Amino acid sequence: MNHQDFAQIWVNAWNSHDLENILSHYSEDIEITTPMIALATGGKESSLQGKEAIREYWKKALDKFPDLHFDLIRSTAGVDSVALFYKSIMDKHAVEVMFFDEEGKINRMYAHYD
């Protein structure tokens, strides 16, 4: 799959608010690093590991932002990775860099916000 197709599928999954559809893109041992974790939890942690921990975090986020909508601006391809630039919640711009395992699932993700 090319990065542009993946980017649109990923954005559509998030815009559907279907948590299982969103999670279908990620490996069981996924690790995410994003400043939103600390904001959401009020803690100092900025990373989560494992699909179950991320499921709980994203469920809370989807509940907190029922009107969540992402607008894809651009995607770029790397080696076993993509970077997505999109308009996110709270009118923020985001860049997410996602790395894929051998099965084509995201196993690492780093998010950046303006």
Side-chain angles (χ1 to χ4, degrees):
M1 178 181 311
N2 75 39
H3 68 90
Q4 293 159 327
D5 291 342
F6 170 80
Q8 196 57 62
I9 290 168
W10 183 88
V11 165
N12 290 346
W14 274 99
N15 288 343
S16 77
H17 295 214
D18 180 341
L19 185 56
E20 294 311 311
N21 186 11
I22 295 165
L23 287 166
S24 72
H25 301 282
Y26 298 87
S27 67
E28 290 298 321
D29 62 346
I30 176 66
E31 181 176 354
I32 65 170
T33 302
T34 169
M36 291 297 190
I37 294 170
L39 284 175
T41 63
K44 295 181 181 177
E45 293 298 316
S46 59
S47 293
L48 289 172
Q49 186 159 8
K51 199 179 247 188
E52 287 310 309
I54 291 164
R55 177 190 312 273
E56 291 178 34
Y57 166 63
W58 282 343
K59 176 161 183 7
K60 289 177 187 172
L62 288 169
D63 289 344
K64 184 174 182 173
F65 297 99
D67 59 345
L68 176 140
H69 183 83
F70 295 161
D71 290 311
L72 181 64
I73 297 169
R74 174 164 291 163
S75 66
T76 59
V79 176
D80 297 323
S81 64
V82 298
L84 305 184
F85 178 40
Y86 62 96
K87 190 171 180 184
S88 182
I89 60 173
M90 300 181 289
D91 215 24
K92 292 183 176 285
H93 286 94
V95 173
E96 289 198 24
V97 181
M98 303 171 193
F99 297 87
F100 296 90
D101 65 15
E102 314 76 47
E103 297 171 8
K105 299 288 186 180
I106 302 163
N107 63 358
R108 255 182 317 140
M109 182 276 291
Y110 298 91
H112 311 267
Y113 298 89
D114 65 358

